[in-house]
Amino acid sequence: MLHFEWSAFVTPDMLRQLAAASGAPLATAQALALRLARLLEHVGGLPYIDEEPSPEARTAQGLGWLDEALGHTLAESGVRRAPPGLLPGPGNSRCAQLLTARPLLHANLADVDGWRTLPGVTVALAQAIVAERDRRGRFASLDDFEKRVDGIGSVRAAALAGVLSFLGNPAAVAGAGALTDWTSRLQALMRLQHAATPAQALVGAVNQTLASVATQAHPASRDGLLRSTPAAALMNPASAVRAAWVGELWGKHYWQALPVLMDNATQHIDVCMFHVAAPSETHPTYALLQGLVRAHQRGTVVRVLLDRDGKSDPYLSTLINSAARRFLTAAGVACRSDSSSRLLHSKYLLIDRQLVVMGSHNWSAGSYGRFDDLTLAVHSEPLASQVLVRFDALWASAS
């Protein structure tokens, strides 16, 4: 499996097609490249593939994901069935008020004539509303509308509250499911922006789509499932590594199997761990600490790096790790605490620079029994070499 960067799908050809479909300058589409990559990340599932696709395949897949995101955003923006609005009128008593039913007015779509149909909205006020919307974009809510338009005020806003809608354009999105390609969906979403230029409309549409898929995962990738498309993405094959074998360590099996792996070490053991409990002899972690001490006593070079809390951290790492650090130091094992400026949340071991044991297990009883933790033992010298570079950097900055 190969890992990739999402920016690999935002190809020059994709940006050219985006500019052509939107009518915006190519420079505008190019400036959106990073946001488009983030958008695809939220829609595309896990960033792994079986093989490297061609540039044409990357463009097609990128536009396919964009199409899904646009359709998702249009569906969220749509008003499937607008309820009638209610306008309060004069009543016959203090306790009764006459309510008149009428269609909702869409605040982000109505022109001057539309606004003029509402009581108390003069030509000048209607023009001011439309001008403000064109200048600074859509009204997010009744409160936003009241604050941005001079002449509305709280009394008039309250009177209009029952007849104004701040949702999307039902005409533009009612048939979103029937739109047949990404260009028509993009243009429908651009129409909802009420922007002065195609460039502004394109930026608004991309921003709205990114916000939509970032806050509510697209159904196709809600569970982070790997897509079945063989050419789903791209990466630099040079960064991929092969493993001779991979083993799974679940729950309590982790602390039972790990001492055996450490006892087989002949040269190096490097440990990077967030939490290490113990050294009570009845604690499961005690067996792991003893494994490190045995390795040190037979001449294996052992280094242990532990997390140290910052002043405002709630994790109590310094306190939790202190007993284990005293135990190891007393036995002659090299043990350091990381810089408190950053959280050391890693949990891994490097054994003889060829076995990487990495996963979610802390060296604590909760990881062995109460929690559903999983760690993988990966026999791969290239992977171990990459992890070692990071460990050495952390070790050099630790105390």
Side-chain angles (χ1 to χ4, degrees):
M1 297 294 285
L2 304 178
H3 180 270
F4 66 86
E5 298 296 332
W6 291 100
S7 57
F9 289 95
V10 186
T11 63
D13 186 41
M14 176 186 179
L15 295 175
R16 284 192 292 270
Q17 292 191 46
L18 198 65
S22 66
L26 177 58
T28 300
Q30 292 170 334
L32 292 169
L34 290 178
R35 272 176 279 184
L36 288 166
R38 289 185 57 202
L39 187 157
L40 299 185
E41 179 180 0
H42 287 288
V43 178
L46 293 176
Y48 293 93
I49 55 168
D50 294 324
E51 60 185 34
E52 179 181 339
S54 66
E56 294 78 11
R58 282 186 280 134
T59 298
Q61 182 63 71
L63 290 175
W65 282 328
L66 176 62
D67 186 30
E68 292 184 39
L70 292 169
H72 180 61
T73 306
L74 283 169
E76 273 196 339
S77 302
V79 182
R80 284 170 171 70
R81 186 173 183 179
L86 295 174
L87 274 175
N92 297 325
S93 70
R94 295 180 180 179
C95 300
Q97 198 170 36
L98 180 64
L99 296 177
T100 302
R102 56 149 292 159
L104 283 173
L105 183 78
H106 293 275
N108 291 310
L109 297 171
D111 57 14
V112 171
D113 290 337
W115 283 102
R116 283 284 291 116
T117 64
L118 299 183
V121 178
T122 64
V123 174
L125 181 55
Q127 291 173 339
I129 292 170
V130 174
E132 168 63 19
R133 188 184 65 199
D134 291 344
R135 182 170 62 254
R136 296 177 55 197
R138 299 164 56 80
F139 298 117
S141 62
L142 183 68
D143 183 62
D144 182 45
F145 171 65
E146 176 190 336
K147 290 177 179 177
R148 286 170 50 186
V149 180
D150 292 335
I152 292 297
S154 58
V155 175
R156 180 169 285 139
L160 298 177
V163 78
L164 290 180
S165 169
F166 295 88
L167 297 176
N169 178 0
V173 300
L179 298 177
T180 58
D181 54 40
W182 69 268
T183 58
S184 58
R185 292 189 176 95
L186 174 66
Q187 291 161 4
L189 195 57
M190 287 175 62
R191 288 195 292 272
L192 297 182
Q193 308 306 311
H194 294 283
T197 66
Q200 293 172 349
L202 176 61
V203 171
V206 170
N207 286 342
Q208 183 180 350
T209 304
L210 175 57
S212 175
V213 297
T215 55
Q216 181 179 350
H218 189 277
S221 58
R222 182 169 293 141
D223 299 320
L225 298 176
L226 180 64
R227 289 176 172 267
S228 59
T229 307
L234 173 74
M235 70 160 288
N236 176 8
S239 64
V241 297
R242 293 190 176 276
W245 55 264
V246 178
E248 298 177 350
L249 302 175
W250 294 91
K252 66 179 181 180
H253 183 55
Y254 174 88
W255 71 266
Q256 294 170 343
L258 198 55
V260 178
L261 297 177
M262 291 191 289
D263 284 343
N264 290 327
T266 59
Q267 296 179 324
H268 301 275
I269 298 179
D270 295 319
V271 181
C272 188
M273 197 62 55
F274 179 45
H275 277 169
V276 179
S280 166
E281 294 184 11
T282 61
H283 196 290
T285 299
Y286 188 72
L288 307 185
L289 298 178
Q290 284 186 314
L292 294 177
V293 172
R294 287 195 301 271
H296 167 71
Q297 291 173 343
R298 66 176 179 266
T300 300
V301 178
V302 179
R303 298 184 295 177
V304 179
L305 184 61
L306 304 174
D307 182 58
R308 175 173 52 182
D309 287 311
K311 292 183 179 179
S312 60
D313 286 342
Y315 308 107
L316 301 178
S317 295
T318 305
L319 176 62
I320 292 171
N321 296 336
S322 59
R325 176 166 180 169
R326 286 195 299 268
F327 178 83
L328 292 171
T329 301
V333 175
C335 193
R336 294 184 182 181
S337 297
D338 80 314
S339 169
S340 62
S341 62
R342 287 175 61 87
L343 185 71
L344 182 75
H345 204 243
S346 299
K347 301 109 177 178
Y348 64 84
L349 290 84
L350 295 176
I351 298 178
D352 284 343
R353 309 290 164 83
Q354 60 183 2
L355 180 64
V356 182
V357 183
M358 181 180 295
S360 60
H361 281 87
N362 283 297
W363 284 14
S364 62
S367 280
Y368 312 141
R370 294 202 312 271
F371 311 142
D372 290 324
D373 279 305
L374 169 65
T375 292
L376 298 179
V378 183
H379 192 280
S380 170
E381 291 187 24
L383 177 61
S385 296
Q386 293 179 14
V387 177
L388 179 63
V389 171
R390 179 60 179 161
F391 183 90
D392 284 342
L394 291 171
W395 184 260
S397 63
S399 62

